[in-house]
Amino acid sequence: MDAQGRGRADNIDPADQWVLNPNTGEYELRLTPSAPQSGVPRPRRGSPANAGPGAGTRARRAPERESPPTPSPDVPGPRRRRGAPAEPPPGRRKGRTKPKKSKAKKILLWTGGSMAFVLVAVSAAGYLYLKHLEGNVSTTDVGSAGKKGFSKDEAFNILIIGTDKRTGAGNEGYGDAGSVGHADTNILLHVSKDRTNATALSIPRDLIVDVPDCPTKQSDGTTKVVPGTQNVRFNTSLGQDGRDPGCTMRTVKAVTGIPVDHFMMADFNAVKTLTSAVDGVEVCVAHAVNDKESHLKLPAGKSKVEGEQALAFVRTRHSFGNQGDLDRIKVQQQFLGSLMRKMASSDTLTNPTKLISLAEAATKALTVDTGIGKVSTLKDVALELKKVPTKNITFTTVPVLDNPAEKVKATVVVNESQAPAVFDAIKSDVSFTAVKQKEKKEKAEVAARLKGTRSAAADIRVDIYNGGAPAGSAQETLNWLQNTEGVLKSSQLGNADATLSKTTLEYSPDQADQARKLADLMGLSASALKPGKSEKNSQGLPAIVLTLGKDFKGAGVSLTTPTKAPEVDKSTADKTVCAS
């Protein structure tokens, strides 16, 4: 290196040679010329290889530069800014003055490296914190009672269970002493496929049900079947005789016909920790409360409760209505609606301290099935639920009647004249609130499939497959169609290649009259009809294809799904209702 190069390296800070280009908004490396240079621009950093093998190296080595080339008489020297002093001719250059260092440029370089370090550190910390939260969550393997995983593209049903098990200090005044943890509070949460609505169906703990046989996983990895029992309270579906949450899930399906995908279970402490994590939940009472048993004291109107007071609010039943469990359910629904609003509020979502407290409290408080046992999956569930507007989250209760077998009314039974319509609406993904429906054009096209002529039953040629219905359903349907409805040109061809959630009827355009007639006989909705292709039957003749799905209820039982939910006593999560 020559003397001039050494001087330049000693006196110029690399940061001073990075200059903001106002045309591009980016910082570029600029080297002060020591002599007139060619006006032809030198290759930029990252230029193609035709710039020469040393181009990239020269651009990066800011302190050094090759000797300036001899200027050509045909190429003008570098342009001088207006008002700037002319440079001295080569060879008579004055001694360089050390330029003033730019703090802003230095900070830019330093923070660039520091920011990269921070991002790496945050990513590592986020990963470690996620693993920490994962260690907080307790899981239970419920086997075939639930699903193995979670899908963001489907409707889902989660059973939320609150147990009466006394755990933790300060809970001696709640629940039954020595309880093994019964299903004290039960809410079946259905979230619609399009995420426009959700329904939270409360199931009374004192509902008389038949609990089915329940396979339960033991600590040694074996499976034990807990025998079912008839005519017992719903709350005994958990804890009693060693029953796990899978037994409660199976009981819900037996009572409602609604399959349960997953469960979330919490005890008394969950109410305390969750409400404290969000800095309290607003509740409302129509009259002042001073409950000596639960120690709940609230003035009339709105109040904020958290911790011990929040638990007393959801546990008390001597201060509202007829002091029974059904009125307490309404109070709990009000509380959950308020908790949902608080958790979804900007005050919570933009507060890192609250979010961390909430994450810690939620993961420590919950026991879930292995299908959603990972924190990342629980996050996905929460994000899907967050898509539902609170105004379209409906709270309602299984329609019930006082148990007619009792003189002193203590338990209830399903109201068979009202409950089936509620269950069917949930199974059919029908909202209990007014939500924006599908496009009218699409609905009209589907409805039009049932409009038109019908063939005679004897002219229907159909092949029947089982695509998810109980074993023997295809043969059962064949017998019913031939012996009862006169559909003699029918055949049963075993199992379909795929499992379907809903029954379908596929046909070619020239068989539409046969499809409409069969839909009438079976009670199929327009959405079950699938215009497409027919298939050749065993005689080589075209036949429409009936595939029985999981919704099949039995030969002769209508499969028409409801399009409107029944009128029920309900509330929504967006409104505060004062308990009375």
Side-chain angles (χ1 to χ4, degrees):
M1 181 184 296
D2 59 22
Q4 185 177 353
R6 276 196 306 273
R8 192 161 51 249
D10 294 339
N11 296 326
I12 297 179
D13 192 303
D16 293 331
Q17 296 177 288
W18 289 90
V19 182
L20 178 66
N21 186 333
N23 296 321
T24 65
E26 297 179 354
Y27 282 87
E28 298 177 355
L29 183 64
R30 298 287 178 85
L31 300 177
T32 304
S34 59
Q37 298 183 13
S38 168
V40 180
R42 299 180 67 181
R44 296 177 62 185
R45 286 176 62 178
S47 296
N50 61 8
T57 304
R58 285 196 300 271
R60 286 191 295 271
R61 293 173 58 192
E64 290 189 56
R65 191 175 63 228
E66 298 174 355
S67 299
T70 304
S72 167
D74 300 324
V75 180
R79 296 181 62 182
R80 179 165 53 90
R81 288 185 301 166
R82 185 175 300 171
E87 287 196 4
R92 296 196 306 183
R93 193 176 181 90
K94 293 183 179 180
R96 289 180 58 96
T97 303
K98 186 174 181 179
K100 186 177 181 180
K101 297 183 180 181
S102 169
K103 291 185 178 179
K105 295 172 189 174
K106 287 183 179 180
I107 291 173
L108 177 70
L109 292 181
W110 276 104
T111 54
S114 300
M115 185 58 69
F117 176 78
V118 169
L119 289 175
V120 171
V122 167
S123 299
Y127 173 78
L128 293 175
Y129 186 64
L130 187 66
K131 287 299 180 183
H132 162 70
L133 291 178
E134 205 116 289
N136 289 346
V137 182
S138 299
T139 60
T140 298
D141 186 352
V142 296
S144 60
K147 288 187 174 180
K148 299 299 181 184
F150 176 74
S151 173
K152 299 179 183 179
D153 303 318
E154 298 177 352
F156 60 91
N157 301 313
I158 295 181
L159 181 62
I160 302 171
I161 306 172
T163 74
D164 61 357
K165 189 173 184 178
R166 295 180 177 180
T167 59
N171 295 325
E172 295 80 8
Y174 305 103
D176 298 326
S179 173
V180 292
H182 294 117
D184 194 53
T185 300
N186 309 277
I187 297 176
L188 179 61
L189 178 64
H190 169 80
V191 180
S192 69
K193 181 177 181 178
D194 60 9
R195 307 300 189 250
T196 61
N197 66 93
T199 303
L201 180 69
S202 290
I203 304 171
R205 68 171 191 174
D206 296 326
L207 178 67
I208 296 300
V209 298
D210 292 342
V211 177
D213 292 347
C214 179
T216 59
K217 295 282 186 179
Q218 305 300 299
S219 57
D220 60 0
T222 61
T223 298
K224 173 186 176 182
V225 177
V226 180
T229 182
Q230 289 72 47
N231 202 36
V232 294
R233 295 180 192 237
F234 181 89
N235 68 342
T236 60
S237 64
L238 177 69
Q240 199 82 5
D241 300 322
R243 296 189 179 103
D244 66 9
C247 301
T248 310
M249 296 167 70
R250 295 175 194 274
T251 304
V252 170
K253 184 177 181 181
V255 173
T256 66
I258 303 170
V260 183
D261 302 318
H262 306 285
F263 84 88
M264 293 182 179
M265 183 172 67
D267 59 19
F268 295 148
N269 286 322
V271 177
K272 295 182 181 181
T273 56
L274 287 175
T275 53
S276 295
V278 296
D279 193 27
V281 171
E282 185 181 87
V283 297
C284 181
V285 293
H287 54 80
V289 174
N290 187 359
D291 191 329
K292 294 181 179 179
E293 294 198 24
S294 67
H295 308 295
L296 177 66
K297 292 183 180 181
L298 290 176
K302 295 180 179 179
S303 299
K304 187 171 77 169
V305 297
E306 68 173 280
E308 189 70 33
Q309 197 175 31
L311 179 57
F313 181 81
V314 298
R315 290 296 304 164
T316 188
R317 60 177 176 176
H318 298 289
S319 300
F320 307 113
N322 62 6
Q323 302 185 13
D325 191 51
L326 296 179
D327 285 294
R328 182 170 65 173
I329 284 175
K330 293 180 180 179
V331 173
Q332 292 171 345
Q333 291 173 346
Q334 178 213 128
F335 174 84
L336 285 175
S338 183
L339 179 59
M340 286 181 176
R341 293 193 298 273
K342 189 62 178 288
M343 291 172 68
S345 69
S346 58
D347 180 53
T348 300
L349 296 178
T350 59
N351 188 319
T353 302
K354 284 186 180 180
L355 283 176
I356 291 176
S357 296
L358 186 58
E360 290 284 355
T363 51
K364 288 179 180 178
L366 292 177
T367 297
V368 301
D369 60 283
T370 52
I372 55 173
K374 292 186 176 180
V375 171
S376 57
T377 308
L378 289 173
K379 177 206 67 177
D380 289 340
V381 173
L383 290 177
E384 292 305 304
L385 182 57
K386 187 177 180 294
K387 294 177 182 178
V388 182
T390 53
K391 67 178 182 179
N392 291 334
I393 300 178
T394 302
F395 290 99
T396 190
T397 304
V398 172
V400 295
L401 298 169
D402 287 333
N403 188 351
E406 296 176 335
K407 292 183 178 179
V408 177
K409 305 304 180 184
T411 61
V412 293
V413 295
V414 172
N415 185 336
E416 296 295 346
S417 66
Q418 297 179 6
V422 174
F423 302 154
D424 285 345
I426 294 175
K427 281 190 291 185
S428 301
D429 205 20
V430 176
S431 175
F432 283 77
T433 56
V435 298
K436 186 177 180 180
Q437 300 297 323
K438 295 180 180 179
E439 294 296 329
K440 291 183 178 181
K441 181 180 179 181
E442 181 183 349
K443 292 178 63 179
E445 289 176 351
V446 172
R449 296 172 190 170
L450 286 176
K451 294 179 180 179
T453 59
R454 266 76 169 161
S455 71
D459 293 333
I460 298 174
R461 188 177 291 111
V462 57
D463 287 343
I464 307 168
Y465 292 90
N466 189 330
S473 295
Q475 184 62 47
E476 178 189 352
T477 301
L478 176 68
N479 296 339
W480 172 73
L481 287 174
Q482 291 185 342
N483 301 328
T484 305
E485 301 299 331
V487 182
L488 302 178
K489 300 175 183 178
S490 51
S491 57
Q492 184 269 113
L493 298 179
N495 293 329
D497 293 334
T499 299
L500 303 178
S501 59
K502 295 183 180 297
T503 296
T504 62
L505 183 58
E506 190 171 5
Y507 56 95
S508 60
D510 61 341
Q511 297 170 312
D513 57 342
Q514 296 181 41
R516 286 190 283 266
K517 179 61 177 179
L518 186 57
D520 291 345
L521 296 176
M522 296 194 63
L524 294 176
S525 63
S527 61
L529 274 63
K530 306 295 181 184
K533 297 180 181 179
S534 60
E535 70 176 19
K536 296 292 182 67
N537 66 5
S538 56
Q539 288 79 40
L541 299 173
I544 59 179
V545 179
L546 173 66
T547 306
L548 305 177
K550 292 181 179 180
D551 62 337
F552 181 76
K553 303 174 184 177
V557 181
S558 175
L559 288 175
T560 301
T561 57
T563 57
K564 184 178 179 181
E567 291 296 325
V568 293
D569 183 15
K570 65 184 180 182
S571 62
T572 52
D574 65 319
K575 296 178 181 177
T576 299
V577 179
C578 293
S580 59

